[in-house]
Amino acid sequence: MPHTKRIAYGAKNLNDLPEDLLSRILSFLPIEVAATTSTISKRWRYLFLFAPKLKFTYHEGDNGLTFVEFVARMLVSRGMTPIEKLSLHLVEGVDGDRVHGLILKALELGLSDLDLQIYNLDNWSGPSPHVFVAKKLSRLAIGTDCIINVERGCVDLPKLKTLHLDDVQFTDGNTGLSKLLSGCPVLEVLSLVDINWYDWDVCCVSSTRLKKMRIHWESYDDDKDRNGCPKSVIFNTPNLQCLHYSDDNARQYPTANFHKLDGAKIQLIRRNAEEEEENVVGHATHFWKGICNVDTLSITSDTLKVLTFCCDPIPVFKNLTQLSIKTGPELGWESLPGLLNKSPQLETLFLKVIKTSLNHRVPPQKVEKRFECEGADEDRKTLMEQVKHFLKEMKPEE
């Protein structure tokens, strides 16, 4: 610590720091490490108990009862000292009923950030209703193979700004998700990972305050239980600024309301590619029209095919200045002119070839002045020739 700050705090070593600051420092350590500091001196004996952020991880094979009792004692020992964040990372071996009690006690202490990563517990089907009416929560993360049962009028999260849901299901599908979102009036960040909405009649995300949204399905190839594309996906998020969307291409997008979108990262896969082209054209038209005002766009080669074959016509991306395309060794050059010709303000094009570790930057129609490429000499030479030939042969639309 610089000398001037040492004087300002009146502290020359850790023991000179105030207890609330020491407790905050201890909150960055694993709880089992923080607990060992209790042996330093009488002053340190109980400091770790009052850390504002607590993270407990149960390792499979440990004594589940001992673990729960330890956490319970810590929470009780705090008295009414508030908790900022509680993280529970638990696997098989802990009684889910007792976990509910731990969460309820933390909520009583004014918890603002709750992170649950809970899998395969006995007597556990998901967070209790108390979690969804916790008026002081500003961040909620639920990463657990569980079912969320949200009854009408039972969601009241007036301060919640960030919501992460990973591998959860809703008892009544889209209705449950809509009820949850409607009870979060100031929500700004939403992350939905592996939400099994492909069998819902409608998948609707509606939130007027939302600024950042991530929707991601991770298991495209090895998930044999997934039996179809999303049916109808609706986005009513007029103030969204950043979108990350990775999924199968839905059969239709009736509404895509993205008025203030600055950046988008899109990965869509066309599962029905074997169908006749005329049967799939137009399915994603409203979605692409919804994001055509974006400034920065990152897509995959599969997404480019969706844009080409499932959108009629390709909209004009009037504000697009930077486009990034992640692809394998073969981009599929026939799909690229349609997008480039619809991007009048485009300044920079990144082509990222992931299988050969090539990364090139090609400003359209300025390839002779600026071209960067990394990789093996032969790959670099071949790809440079392909890009140059492509840009020279590409003719603007009449």
Side-chain angles (χ1 to χ4, degrees), residues 353-393:
V353 184
I354 54 178
K355 289 187 178 180
T356 55
S357 301
L358 294 179
N359 188 344
H360 4 253
R361 174 183 295 182
V362 186
Q365 302 180 12
K366 295 182 181 180
V367 66
E368 297 295 342
K369 295 182 180 180
R370 181 179 170 195
F371 187 83
E372 297 178 15
C373 179
E374 295 179 0
D377 290 342
E378 188 61 32
D379 287 337
R380 182 167 64 248
K381 180 180 178 181
T382 301
L383 195 56
M384 285 177 66
E385 292 302 321
Q386 289 179 338
V387 173
K388 288 180 180 180
H389 176 76
F390 166 75
L391 291 176
K392 288 178 179 178
E393 292 298 320

Side-chain angles (χ1 to χ4, degrees), residues 18 150 160 167 178 237 259 271 290 320 325 336 360 372 380:
V150 181
L160 194 72
D167 197 16
S178 297
T237 52
H259 287 314
R271 286 294 183 187
L320 187 63
I325 302 177
L336 194 52
H360 4 253
E372 297 178 15
R380 182 167 64 248

